Amino acid sequence: MKWKVSCIQMDVAFGELEPNYVKAEALLRASGSVPSGKPSSPHGKAEEDLPSVLVLPELWTTGYALSALPALADAEGKRTLLFLSSLAESLGTGIVGGSYARRTKEGIRNTMPFLDEEGRLLGEYDKLHLFGPMQEPLHLRAGDQLGVVRLHDVLVAGVICYDIRFPEWIRMQALAHARVVFVAAEWPESRLSHWRTLLMARAIENQVFVVACNRVGSDPNHRFAGHSMIIDPWGQVLAEGGEDEEIVSAVLDFDEIDAARARIPSLQDRRPQLYRL
């Protein structure tokens, strides 16, 4: 089985909803014409016939305008989910909706939605690890669910930005048989080397594909790194963005997961009975 995946590496207007919805729609609609970084086999399906998934960055509706989220957050995600559902159905593609600020009865959550090609909501993931240095715990409520769903008949998982610094969490997703880990981020330019190293490590140690969509541009406090990455189970970078808005695409060949695990059976050789403090 193969998929085409595309990361929508976009700038985000700080605290302004309307420009972000307009830009996201334009980039999502444009993504279908972008060739991947890795061609499909000449003996397999044409690239345009492969199941496809489009991925947005973290907090693409608002940016990191955390203090303004009480006014900006989407009540139970009604607007954002309708927007993404309509686009998924129109484009005939799965969408991993990056993340957006979702107002719930318990508080505001940083939420990643998963939608199939018919626009159906498959599940959601709320950011588990909140980043203290950016005051996320003051404004957001942390999630507590694993974030594994079935998309295009494949189990996949999602994490958001700071979550990639917690290998034990992504290992849990891999042990739940996720074969792709989607990452949505607003990762700063100052820690670009960490971004690249952590993403490649998460792919190698779990022998999964990592599809990581980061934003570009800046807000009043930060400049963001871009460099969205699509990484195979060997840690090889199939496609990587630069520092400007662009669509970063590649083809995932799921046979590569089985090949990597057959050659180096590290998941099989785990000794969890000893992994206790």
Side-chain angles (χ1 to χ4, degrees), residues 92-210:
T93 182
I95 293 181
V96 176
S99 77
Y100 69 100
R102 178 172 66 101
R103 186 184 302 111
T104 71
K105 293 178 181 179
E106 296 80 22
I108 298 171
R109 298 182 184 269
N110 187 346
T111 299
M112 173 184 287
F114 300 85
L115 298 100
D116 70 10
E117 70 279 9
E118 296 182 3
R120 294 175 297 196
L121 180 66
L122 304 174
E124 294 180 301
Y125 170 76
D126 296 326
K127 188 173 186 178
L128 190 84
H129 301 95
L130 300 182
F131 190 50
M134 290 184 71
Q135 299 187 328
E136 286 185 356
L138 299 180
H139 301 280
L140 299 170
R141 186 175 180 90
D144 58 8
Q145 300 298 312
L146 190 58
V148 174
V149 304
R150 185 173 295 276
L151 175 62
H152 294 326
D153 205 33
V154 174
L155 286 173
V156 304
V159 295
I160 300 173
C161 206
Y162 189 40
D163 286 329
I164 68 171
R165 290 187 180 272
F166 297 85
E168 62 272 38
W169 183 238
I170 297 175
R171 173 55 57 85
M172 290 286 290
Q173 295 176 326
L175 293 176
H177 307 294
R179 294 169 74 81
V180 185
V181 175
F182 290 101
V183 182
E186 291 210 15
W187 196 276
E189 184 179 60
S190 60
R191 293 188 287 279
L192 173 59
S193 62
H194 291 195
W195 167 255
R196 300 187 80 255
T197 300
L198 290 166
L199 291 173
M200 287 187 281
R202 300 296 83 87
I204 293 167
E205 69 199 5
N206 294 297
Q207 297 172 313
V208 296
F209 287 101
V210 170

